[in-house]
Amino acid sequence: ILFNTIDTALSSLKSSQSYINSGMDIATKIAFDLVESFNDEEDVNSMEKVMLEYAAMDRELNNYINAFEETVNQVKREKPENIPDLEKLVEEKLTAIESENSDSDLQSNEKYMYFMDQLKEMKKQFRHISDNDNETIEQIDEDIAVTRSQMNFICPITQMEMKRPVRNKVCGHIYEEEAILEIIQSRKQKKKKVRCPKMGCSHVDVKGSDLVPDEALKRVIDSQNKQ
């Protein structure tokens, strides 16, 4: 069995995931642009459907890759005298994996979860005022004013307004990207953990992999600065 050829084919499949990830990033940006431009809710919701379609493609690709890898590893371990029907074995493994699929798989996709979380924050800050709103314009303006007054644009590390805010997925606190990464790198060289710089936070092991861009907050800050 030409395992090197199989490994090459698997690498090609895995590279396809980058195209799916790029598509999800583009769909996320479009949705944020729609909210910020006060477009119809239907247009924004259509992007959520696109994200779910991408999540389904990602799951399908991952299932196939996992089925292929598990089958190849099994053959390598067993070392049969006769070359087995790899295609049939992969199909059987794939069927078994897909039988465990559920709708919650798509909604637990990391990029979809990020999309929904950030979209929720975007809607809080850039609410679309329509004729169908039950609240008055004055009430909406008041809600926005309160929300913005409560939102902290200041980095707990630099004590300056953030330009590239990132949020810690573990504790939810937000920092200037460059500042927190500099601390992480410095402590890593000393083989020490990083405590969350936000006063009162009990999280004592901040990692770079825990940080995600807070696009909603960045857009709010940029919008405020333009006014």
Side-chain angles (χ1 to χ4, degrees):
I1 301 174
L2 301 177
F3 288 114
N4 289 337
T5 303
I6 294 174
D7 289 339
T8 300
L10 279 173
S11 295
S12 297
L13 280 175
K14 291 177 180 178
S15 68
S16 299
Q17 288 178 311
S18 65
Y19 297 110
I20 294 176
N21 289 334
S22 295
M24 296 183 88
D25 288 341
I26 293 171
T28 299
K29 183 180 183 302
I30 291 173
F32 293 169
D33 288 342
L34 289 171
V35 174
E36 191 171 356
S37 302
F38 302 108
N39 278 265
D40 289 337
E41 187 75 11
E42 185 177 344
D43 292 336
V44 178
N45 291 340
S46 68
M47 299 315 300
E48 180 183 346
K49 294 178 182 177
V50 170
M51 289 294 288
L52 284 172
E53 289 172 1
Y54 272 120
M57 286 190 286
D58 185 59
R59 181 180 66 182
E60 183 178 352
L61 182 58
N62 280 323
N63 286 343
Y64 189 76
I65 290 174
N66 290 336
F68 220 116
E69 287 181 333
E70 289 179 21
T71 301
V72 170
N73 289 333
Q74 178 183 338
V75 172
K76 286 181 178 180
R77 287 194 306 270
E78 297 175 355
K79 298 179 181 178
E81 293 183 6
N82 298 320
I83 299 176
D85 186 341
L86 277 181
E87 184 176 351
K88 181 180 178 181
L89 290 176
V90 169
E91 287 180 358
E92 292 174 352
K93 185 72 69 174
L94 181 61
T95 299
I97 292 175
E98 289 182 335
S99 67
E100 301 295 326
N101 288 348
S102 68
D103 291 340
S104 62
D105 295 340
L106 306 184
Q107 295 176 348
S108 62
N109 177 282
E110 186 172 352
K111 280 188 175 291
Y112 175 78
M113 290 173 65
Y114 171 79
F115 169 85
M116 293 302 295
D117 178 67
Q118 289 286 285
L119 189 61
K120 180 181 178 181
E121 291 301 316
M122 287 289 293
K123 287 180 177 180
K124 284 182 183 178
Q125 303 308 318
F126 301 99
R127 295 186 63 172
H128 177 50
I129 302 175
S130 70
D131 294 335
N132 295 325
D133 284 334
N134 294 323
E135 298 175 87
T136 66
I137 292 176
E138 289 77 14
Q139 288 174 319
I140 293 174
D141 287 341
E142 183 179 349
D143 288 343
I144 293 175
V146 170
T147 304
R148 286 180 175 173
S149 66
Q150 292 174 339
M151 182 168 287
N152 190 356
F153 296 167
I154 305 301
C155 172
I157 304 169
T158 65
Q159 295 302 310
M160 298 175 63
E161 184 177 85
M162 290 177 281
K163 296 180 179 178
R164 293 177 61 86
V166 291
R167 181 153 45 87
N168 191 322
K169 292 187 293 184
V170 178
C171 63
H173 292 127
I174 304 169
Y175 336 97
E176 178 66 50
E177 182 179 37
E178 184 177 353
I180 187 64
L181 290 179
E182 186 176 323
I183 291 178
I184 292 174
Q185 183 61 32
S186 175
R187 300 288 286 179
K188 183 179 180 180
Q189 292 175 350
K190 299 176 182 178
K191 297 182 179 180
K192 294 183 178 181
K193 295 181 179 180
V194 178
R195 174 181 285 275
C196 175
K198 186 71 173 180
M199 186 176 296
C201 183
S202 60
H203 184 43
V204 295
D205 190 14
V206 179
K207 299 183 178 69
S209 57
D210 295 331
L211 306 176
V212 294
D214 197 318
E215 181 66 21
L217 178 57
K218 182 180 185 303
R219 289 180 180 235
V220 173
I221 294 174
D222 292 342
S223 178
Q224 288 282 82
N225 290 334
K226 289 177 182 177
Q227 293 179 5

